[in-house]
């Protein structure tokens, strides 16, 4: 498989943007099967962009909006990046779910997955899925549904972002854009995906607590006491209810048990404090029996750790024989984007000038990251939702 990339900072005049993107794709390099991944800011006219790209690209594409974009050249804002995957020995199938209004609609991800899978001649090796910000949804259940339906095929993607208004998050295919549906792409054939997740936490409170009462994404008690007491003891309590932007630098590290007895670490962003019920609502499920600890993330932590993450992924790429990697996809949390303050290329510098000659990189800042995590004891991969992480997929 090979990757071709196009990029433009034009987001106002869609006709110009489409012309610039189209001109950068050398069609003589397209192989029998191709698919595009498009990440863009939330500023463009999405319907016009999709119609324009559909008119010039002879293959399906999918993608989402993000508050920031990463490409082979580094970070940019208010831009559009197109990555074309093309191969003779890999197949692609793209689909969009029905409208998602409540948890009752989550099974539509399994249905769309099956429809995509039926179009492929070989076993599926990788699933992409992106979703808009959806109220009253446990995003973990999207990952769990695809994991169960596929028989644990790796799931990568996340929750589209905007400028923290949560009302301009789009996902799209070459057929339509939506703020109420999910998009899925399934790959089969000669593909060898590898993953890494970087939490970028170095300083913790060292006050590990056991979740003794929780339901879904809401935690009520730690060690038998109200979770709000724990936050108060840290000197970080607030009278506010919606606190998603207040606790970006102090997420919670949840060590959760897997059904087969392993453990995985996931970061959880605190979104809501219910002072009457003395509970905390997180962007992500936290099981009773999990270990929870408040941690800190700084710009310095991010810069150091993402470089280490690319050291790891590039070493892995170089160590694999008999397979040629062509693509790196990154997802970084919009919370990290905020913590970098004015230096938005902090994560982009981690790979600039270091990528192998034929490897292209495409990335986006989103509200939640879907990526397989390595178990702490057995080393297996488990499909999970994370918050405030930097994830890397190479294939």
């Amino acid at each position: 498989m090979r990757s071709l990339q196009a990029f433009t900072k034009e987001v106002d005049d869609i006709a110009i943007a489409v012309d610039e993107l189209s001109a950068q794709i050398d069609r003589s390099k397209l192989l029998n099967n191709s698919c595009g991944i498009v990440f863009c800011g939330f500023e463009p006219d999405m319907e016009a962009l999709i119609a324009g790209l559909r008119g010039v690209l002879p293959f399906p594409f999918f993608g989402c909006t993000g508050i920031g974009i990463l490409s082979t050249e580094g970070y940019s804002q208010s831009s559009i990046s197109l990555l074309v995957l093309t191969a003779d020995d890999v197949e692609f199938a793209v689909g969009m779910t029905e409208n998602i209004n409540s948890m009752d609609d989550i099974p539509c991800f399994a249905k769309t997955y099956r429809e995509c899978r039926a179009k492929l001649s070989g076993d599926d090796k990788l699933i992409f899925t992106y979703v808009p910000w959806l109220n009253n949804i446990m995003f973990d259940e999207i990952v769990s549904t695809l994991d169960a339906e596929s028989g644990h095929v790796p799931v990568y993607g996340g929750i589209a972002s905007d400028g923290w208004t949560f009302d301009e998050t789009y996902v799209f295919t070459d057929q339509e854009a939506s703020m109420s549906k999910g998009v899925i792409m399934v790959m089969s054939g000669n593909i060898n995906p590898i993953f890494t997740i970087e939490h970028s936490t170095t300083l913790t409170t060292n006050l590990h607590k056991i979740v003794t009462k929780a339901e879904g994404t809401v935690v009520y008690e730690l060690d038998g006491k109200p979770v709000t007491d724990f936050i108060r003891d840290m000197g970080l309590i607030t009278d506010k209810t919606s606190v998603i932007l207040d606790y970006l630098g102090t997420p919670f590290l949840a060590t959760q048990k897997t059904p087969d007895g392993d453990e995985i670490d996931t970061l959880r962003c605190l979104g809501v404090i219910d002072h009457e019920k003395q509970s905390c609502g997180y962007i992500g499920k936290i099981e009773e029996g999990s270990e929870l600890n408040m941690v800190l993330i700084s710009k310095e932590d991010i810069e150091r750790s993402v470089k280490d993450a690319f050291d790891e992924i590039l070493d892995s790429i170089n160590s694999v024989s008999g397979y040629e990697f062509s693509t790196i996809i990154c997802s970084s949390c919009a919370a990290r984007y905020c913590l970098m303050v004015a230096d938005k290329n902090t994560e982009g510098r981690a790979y600039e000038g270091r990528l192998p000659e034929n490897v292209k990189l495409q990335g986006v800042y989103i509200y939640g990251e879907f990526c397989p995590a390595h178990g702490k004891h057995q080393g297996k991969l488990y499909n999970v939702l994370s918050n405030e992480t930097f994830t890397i997929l190479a294939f």
Side-chain angles (χ1 to χ4, degrees):
M1 185 164 60
R2 65 174 59 139
S3 295
L4 311 174
Q5 193 168 47
F7 177 83
T8 180
K9 290 187 176 181
E10 178 59 65
V11 295
D12 296 319
D13 192 320
I14 297 301
I16 293 176
V18 169
D19 286 345
E20 291 182 356
L21 294 170
S22 178
Q24 295 172 55
I25 300 300
D26 185 350
R27 284 161 176 74
S28 69
K29 294 183 178 180
L30 295 178
L31 302 174
N32 286 332
N33 306 312
S34 300
C35 183
I37 303 176
V38 181
F39 294 142
C40 66
F42 53 90
E43 302 90 349
D45 181 327
M46 299 307 302
E47 298 294 343
L49 176 61
I50 291 164
L53 289 175
R54 184 171 60 236
V56 298
L57 299 180
F59 45 77
F61 58 85
F62 71 98
C64 73
T65 58
I67 195 171
I69 306 298
L70 294 170
S71 69
T72 302
E73 304 305 318
Y75 160 81
S76 64
Q77 190 178 25
S78 301
S79 56
I80 307 169
S81 186
L82 164 66
L83 186 76
V84 179
L85 309 175
T86 187
D88 290 329
D89 55 1
V90 178
E91 297 178 40
F92 314 91
V94 175
M96 185 169 270
T97 71
E98 300 165 0
N99 283 316
I100 307 158
N101 299 307
S102 70
M103 290 297 294
D104 291 340
D105 298 319
I106 296 299
C108 71
F109 282 87
K111 177 176 180 289
T112 301
Y113 161 76
R114 290 193 297 269
E115 292 169 350
C116 290
R117 177 67 187 80
K119 299 175 184 177
L120 305 174
S121 61
D123 293 337
D124 47 332
K125 301 290 185 63
L126 180 63
I127 301 169
F128 281 88
T129 186
Y130 292 94
V131 297
W133 182 264
L134 300 165
N135 292 320
N136 304 316
I137 295 295
M138 283 197 295
F139 293 103
D140 310 69
E141 294 304 311
I142 294 172
V143 179
S144 298
T145 295
L146 289 171
D147 179 76
E149 187 68 29
S150 67
H152 313 301
V153 171
V155 176
Y156 191 86
I159 307 164
S161 71
D162 56 13
W164 292 101
T165 62
F166 301 99
D167 58 5
E168 293 183 283
T169 63
Y170 284 92
V171 302
F172 49 84
T173 68
D174 52 295
Q175 298 301 310
E176 65 174 306
S178 178
M179 291 193 294
S180 60
K181 300 179 180 181
V183 63
I184 292 175
M185 192 270 275
V186 185
M187 299 176 63
S188 68
N190 183 23
I191 174 175
N192 180 23
I194 56 176
F195 308 89
T196 190
I197 292 179
E198 180 50 58
H199 293 146
S200 303
T201 57
T202 57
L203 178 63
T204 76
T205 58
N206 292 317
L207 295 174
H208 304 276
K209 302 292 183 179
I210 302 300
V211 179
T212 49
K213 184 178 180 181
E215 183 177 356
T217 61
V218 179
V219 173
Y220 295 93
E221 294 181 359
L222 300 179
D223 289 351
K225 298 179 181 179
V227 62
T228 49
D229 286 357
F230 172 74
I231 299 176
R232 184 174 291 105
D233 290 343
M234 295 298 99
L236 296 172
I237 196 65
T238 175
D239 292 332
K240 296 172 64 175
T241 299
S242 178
V243 297
I244 190 168
L245 295 178
D246 299 84
Y247 287 82
L248 295 183
T250 53
F252 285 69
L253 182 67
T255 301
Q256 308 196 64
K257 298 185 185 300
T258 64
D260 59 359
D262 207 338
E263 292 181 325
I264 52 173
D265 285 339
T266 55
L267 277 185
R268 290 289 180 253
C269 184
L270 177 57
V272 175
I273 298 178
D274 187 325
H275 296 278
E276 182 178 345
K277 296 181 179 179
Q278 302 184 78
S279 65
C280 290
Y282 296 86
I283 304 176
K285 193 173 182 179
I286 299 179
E287 302 275 2
E288 290 184 358
S290 301
E291 185 178 276
L292 206 62
N293 188 22
M294 183 180 284
V295 296
L296 304 179
I297 300 179
S298 69
K299 176 182 177 296
E300 292 72 26
D301 294 331
I302 291 172
E303 187 163 17
R304 171 197 52 77
S305 63
V306 174
K307 181 183 180 300
D308 291 344
F310 273 99
D311 288 343
E312 176 185 336
I313 208 77
L314 293 175
D315 285 346
S316 297
I317 287 175
N318 292 329
S319 67
V320 174
S321 59
Y323 179 86
E324 185 174 351
F325 287 83
S326 66
T327 308
I328 293 176
I329 306 292
C330 300
S331 297
S332 186
C333 187
R336 298 166 68 94
Y337 177 92
C338 292
L339 292 172
M340 291 184 287
V341 196
D343 187 9
K344 299 303 186 188
N345 198 35
T346 296
E347 293 179 320
R349 283 196 302 273
Y351 62 81
E352 283 181 344
R354 303 178 62 199
L355 300 178
E357 182 178 358
N358 295 321
V359 172
K360 303 297 183 185
L361 182 143
Q362 181 98 326
V364 63
Y365 285 89
I366 49 182
Y367 286 148
E369 303 77 57
F370 304 154
C371 182
H374 288 275
K376 298 176 69 174
H377 306 301
Q378 301 175 23
K380 289 174 57 178
L381 285 173
Y382 299 90
N383 286 317
V384 297
L385 161 71
S386 295
N387 310 143
E388 299 210 33
T389 61
F390 188 90
T391 71
I392 307 175
L393 157 64
F395 56 89

